[in-house]
Amino acid sequence: MLNTDDQALVDRWLAELSSKRYSAATIKSYRQALQPFLAYCYERHTELCHITRQQLSDFLIRRLDVDKISKSSSQYELTVLRQLYKWLIAQQLMTLNPTTTIRLKRAPRPLPTLLDIDVLSQLLDQAAPEDSHEARLWIRDKAMLELLYGSGLRVGELVGLNMSDIDKSQRLLRVLGKGGKTRIVPIGEKAWQALINYLPHRSLWVEEQDPAVFVSERYGTRISTRTVQLRIKLQAKRAGIAQDLYPHLLRHCFASHILSDSGDLRGVQELLGHSDISTTQIYTHLDFGHLSQVYDKAHPRSRR
């Protein structure tokens, strides 16, 4: 059973959302997401407007541990509750929002199957096409590929590069990352050579005043992320690589290969531009063999 007053409040909120042109499917989904919580409030003899943070936390734990719902479903229920309680406060029916300090840990997303060094070499070291037009485009594409893998750039960061972001004297890039945060990353030897080979072509293609590093040959303006994605797939196919390639996969390869060889998690965090090291830690599971060898050599209790 449910508390009729609580249900009436939910009905009012959903009616208001409906008047704001929320879809019928969304309204139905919100209603279903709230039913377990309303039932929980009824069981605890607690009204919706009097629920505490601890009770809300207990409810979410029970949903995960007892009801065995997925973390994504629990996160969705919490998201709906946040919106409901924000509305209740706006209606002056409450003063404290019990959802404000509640955080659910998101399940880590599985990383894709990485490319090994041989496959990357197959992609990056392939010969230029015989067709002169495609050969020119390959020079640009190779520079993009080398920077994605060699400097760990996001595709948006790559296409956002301006000529003023290149420090030629020190071979560094100034990268504008997520949230408007700027970081400095090194340009490796092969990426640098590929970039130097490309820049004369850029000078012929670029429209006056366009600051972009990577431009369209046809239009002379900044290349799009979609074009980068398509060009990578084309070059992978040309190299005879069956695995699906996309820009972020090269960033994953960059991170895992650097971490595997260096073990420097903080350094990789800086290179990737992660604000939270927990985001970088998803790469630590990729090389347990290497970590085991480090342990076996270094820890006194590992020796027989």
Side-chain angles (χ1 to χ4, degrees):
M1 295 181 65
L2 301 177
N3 183 305
T4 54
D5 291 337
D6 285 351
Q7 187 65 66
L9 282 175
V10 169
D11 289 342
R12 276 179 55 195
W13 176 57
L14 294 177
E16 187 172 307
L17 293 183
S18 183
S19 69
K20 294 179 178 178
R21 297 189 176 181
Y22 278 62
S23 71
T26 298
I27 299 298
K28 181 180 179 182
S29 177
Y30 282 11
R31 187 183 298 280
Q32 290 175 340
L34 288 170
Q35 293 312 297
F37 184 65
L38 293 176
Y40 173 85
C41 291
Y42 181 78
E43 288 174 15
R44 294 294 184 276
H45 306 289
T46 303
E47 292 180 358
L48 189 65
C49 293
H50 296 150
I51 205 77
T52 66
R53 290 189 181 96
Q54 186 58 56
Q55 287 173 320
L56 178 56
S57 179
D58 291 343
F59 164 75
L60 294 169
I61 290 171
R62 188 173 83 169
R63 291 290 283 157
L64 289 166
D65 294 346
V66 179
D67 298 338
K68 302 296 183 184
I69 68 170
S70 67
K71 283 190 176 181
S72 59
S73 296
S74 181
Q75 185 66 54
Y76 180 71
E77 290 183 3
L78 177 57
T79 298
V80 175
L81 284 167
R82 286 191 202 284
Q83 294 184 55
L84 172 61
Y85 276 106
K86 185 178 179 181
W87 177 80
L88 290 170
I89 288 174
Q91 300 298 308
Q92 298 184 337
L93 296 171
M94 298 181 68
T95 55
L96 295 176
N97 188 336
T99 70
T100 51
T101 58
I102 302 293
R103 295 289 183 273
L104 288 179
K105 267 195 171 180
R106 294 182 181 273
R109 289 176 294 179
L111 288 173
T113 302
L114 297 171
L115 303 174
D116 60 33
I117 300 300
D118 290 340
V119 175
L120 282 165
S121 297
Q122 184 179 338
L123 172 68
L124 299 171
D125 296 335
Q126 63 181 307
E130 293 183 3
D131 179 81
S132 59
H133 174 256
E134 285 300 323
R136 290 192 297 272
L137 291 179
W138 164 240
I139 292 172
R140 182 200 61 192
D141 293 353
K142 180 176 172 64
M144 295 193 302
L145 288 165
E146 290 283 5
L147 282 177
L148 287 168
Y149 172 59
S151 297
L153 303 185
R154 300 178 178 94
V155 64
E157 295 169 346
L158 179 83
V159 301
L161 287 175
N162 292 326
M163 292 299 296
S164 59
D165 295 325
I166 303 173
D167 182 338
K168 294 184 178 180
S169 62
Q170 299 188 67
R171 297 189 182 183
L172 297 172
L173 277 180
R174 183 174 65 243
V175 178
L176 183 62
K178 286 186 175 180
K181 295 179 181 178
T182 302
R183 69 183 188 278
I184 305 297
V185 297
I187 307 174
E189 179 61 36
K190 293 201 173 184
W192 178 254
Q193 192 56 56
L195 187 60
I196 292 300
N197 291 342
Y198 158 68
L199 290 179
H201 293 272
R202 175 197 177 274
S203 297
L204 295 174
W205 300 343
V206 70
E207 285 291 318
E208 189 176 358
Q209 304 299 321
D210 197 306
V213 172
F214 292 105
V215 298
S216 162
E217 182 204 29
R218 179 180 298 177
Y219 302 111
T221 54
R222 191 181 303 274
I223 201 170
S224 69
T225 57
R226 181 59 179 158
T227 298
V228 176
Q229 293 163 351
L230 293 174
R231 295 301 301 179
I232 287 177
K233 292 184 186 301
L234 183 149
Q235 298 301 351
K237 182 179 180 180
R238 196 171 67 82
I241 298 172
Q243 185 174 342
D244 182 32
L245 260 66
Y246 48 93
H248 216 70
L249 179 56
L250 297 176
R251 178 172 157 90
H252 285 313
C253 291
F254 163 85
S256 60
H257 292 168
I258 290 286
L259 186 58
S260 175
D261 285 344
S262 70
D264 187 349
L265 192 64
R266 286 287 181 187
V268 174
Q269 178 190 5
E270 290 295 323
L271 289 169
L272 291 174
H274 287 160
S275 57
D276 190 336
I277 200 167
S278 64
T279 308
T280 318
Q281 285 172 333
I282 62 174
Y283 296 102
T284 58
H285 79 279
L286 295 173
D287 197 23
F288 281 130
H290 171 72
L291 294 177
S292 296
Q293 290 174 18
V294 171
Y295 175 84
D296 290 341
K297 289 179 181 178
H299 199 287
R301 299 291 287 180
S302 72
R303 303 179 192 123
R304 295 178 182 176

